[in-house]
Amino acid sequence: MAALEKIQEKTFWPIHIEHWQASGQSQAAYCRQHDLCPQKFGYWKRKSTVKPTTSPTGFTRIRVDEGISPDLAIGLSLRFNDGTRLEGIT
């Protein structure tokens, strides 16, 4: 495949995938309407949803609430996304 064809494919399919998502049609109906190969469409759709692999750093972002009186401080408190709390770490 020529380099120009590869470049065209990399711009052609993402545009069609975006238009398909906005259309509300099934993937098969969109491919029929636009005379697209359903297998190639599916391949490029899957390729567009693959997230780049990155190594986890082991760090997470935290927020420190300031302005708490030392008399009221209970030590370190962790709150997780699932609602679990871990309090009183000194």
Side-chain angles (χ1 to χ4, degrees), residues 55-81:
S55 301
T57 62
F59 294 97
T60 189
R61 188 175 302 268
I62 63 167
R63 184 184 79 212
V64 177
D65 293 329
E66 295 185 29
I68 297 175
S69 166
D71 297 334
L72 300 175
I74 58 170
L76 180 64
S77 175
L78 301 174
R79 183 176 49 202
F80 299 93
N81 289 339

Side-chain angles (χ1 to χ4, degrees), residues 13 31 34-42:
W13 289 107
C31 288
H34 295 277
D35 198 27
L36 300 173
C37 173
Q39 289 80 13
K40 283 187 180 181
F41 187 93

Side-chain angles (χ1 to χ4, degrees), residues 5-59:
E5 288 175 331
K6 285 184 180 181
I7 292 169
Q8 288 174 333
E9 269 197 341
K10 287 184 179 182
T11 57
F12 176 83
W13 289 107
I15 289 169
H16 271 290
I17 291 166
E18 185 178 321
H19 289 179
W20 161 70
Q21 289 171 330
S23 75
Q25 293 179 302
S26 71
Q27 186 175 319
Y30 183 87
C31 288
R32 277 192 303 273
Q33 181 181 355
H34 295 277
D35 198 27
L36 300 173
C37 173
Q39 289 80 13
K40 283 187 180 181
F41 187 93
Y43 168 80
W44 284 95
K45 185 180 90 172
R46 284 188 305 278
K47 190 170 180 167
S48 71
T49 59
V50 173
K51 296 187 177 17
T53 57
T54 58
S55 301
T57 62
F59 294 97

